[in-house]
Amino acid sequence: RETQIAFNFQPSSGHFFSPETNRGGHQIVESDGAGLCRMNLDGTNRTCTFIPNWDPIRSGGHPVVRGSDNLLLVQNFLDNADGGLYTLNYDDLSNKQKIPNAIGRDLSPSWSNDGQAIAFAAYPTSRGEPYFFTNLFKINANGSNRTQLTNFTQPLGEGFSYSLVWTKDNSAVINAAKLDGIAGIYVIKADGSGDI
């Protein structure tokens, strides 16, 4: 059964369910224009944090929550020194920390199941949806071991999409893509070997 739980969204770039589905409230976090909002599963108790309260983040997109401690991860799509991937406390959106070695065109992050690594896509200019990204990367949560997982030069209309998903054993990332004219679901090894 489909139920609309919120209205009047600004342009949104993603939402995520808290792993703590039995928490008292704010099980959903979503990007809402220039802010982040949290709400209950039924849409009630919606609270939002907007600029300038969480500078330097602008439009914190594709929020994703780490299962072990509810650490929130968002992209900050700014093409300057403030751009990159940021972590925040889930409950109050405080303690903003930029992931070292992340840059403004690192987008669509995804925590590995063990919470130690982050997969993400790199956005080049002048590309359209749905295949927005030419290559995928990973980085450790502390900013070390930035690794390019793919090495493509795809024409416009081809490439990777949003919403990277890790395999259960963290050995690979799964993503919808169109590569060499073939659209499908691809499994990309997370060891940097380039195996797909």
Side-chain angles (χ1 to χ4, degrees):
R1 178 177 161 196
E2 184 176 297
T3 303
Q4 185 170 1
I5 62 172
F7 303 87
N8 300 321
F9 283 124
Q10 299 298 314
S12 178
S13 60
H15 69 278
F16 199 85
F17 292 92
S18 165
E20 293 185 29
T21 56
N22 62 344
R23 64 190 297 142
H26 291 138
Q27 296 97 330
I28 300 172
V29 59
E30 60 99 13
S31 168
D32 191 19
L36 276 179
C37 299
R38 295 178 302 129
M39 68 186 80
N40 295 351
L41 290 176
D42 62 1
T44 60
N45 198 23
R46 186 170 189 256
T47 59
C48 300
T49 299
F50 293 99
I51 297 167
N53 293 333
W54 60 325
D55 281 341
I57 298 174
R58 295 285 193 270
S59 186
H62 293 275
V64 60
V65 182
R66 185 162 66 180
S68 60
D69 59 2
N70 274 3
L71 187 64
L72 179 62
L73 174 68
V74 298
Q75 69 186 32
N76 189 23
F77 191 12
L78 289 177
D79 202 9
N80 61 31
D82 291 328
L85 305 175
Y86 283 76
T87 59
L88 305 90
N89 292 338
Y90 184 88
D91 288 326
D92 59 6
L93 304 181
S94 66
N95 194 27
K96 298 177 292 291
Q97 300 289 323
K98 182 178 177 184
I99 301 288
N101 300 316
I103 61 175
R105 295 186 178 275
D106 295 343
L107 305 176
S108 195
S110 175
W111 285 114
S112 60
N113 295 301
D114 62 6
Q116 300 302 305
I118 300 162
F120 60 93
Y123 169 71
T125 57
S126 303
R127 295 185 66 85
E129 298 185 12
Y131 305 116
F132 216 43
F133 307 108
T134 51
N135 285 295
L136 304 182
F137 295 76
K138 75 170 182 180
I139 194 169
N140 290 342
N142 64 5
S144 65
N145 198 29
R146 182 182 173 112
T147 304
Q148 187 165 339
L149 303 182
T150 62
N151 189 18
F152 285 108
T153 306
Q154 294 292 330
L156 293 178
E158 296 194 10
F160 295 95
S161 188
Y162 296 101
S163 302
L164 311 178
V165 178
W166 287 82
T167 56
K168 189 173 182 180
D169 64 0
N170 301 309
S171 67
V173 174
I174 302 169
N175 186 247
K178 186 174 184 181
L179 304 174
D180 296 324
I182 301 173
I185 305 297
Y186 288 83
V187 179
I188 301 98
K189 289 288 189 180
D191 59 4
S193 64
D195 290 344
I196 297 180

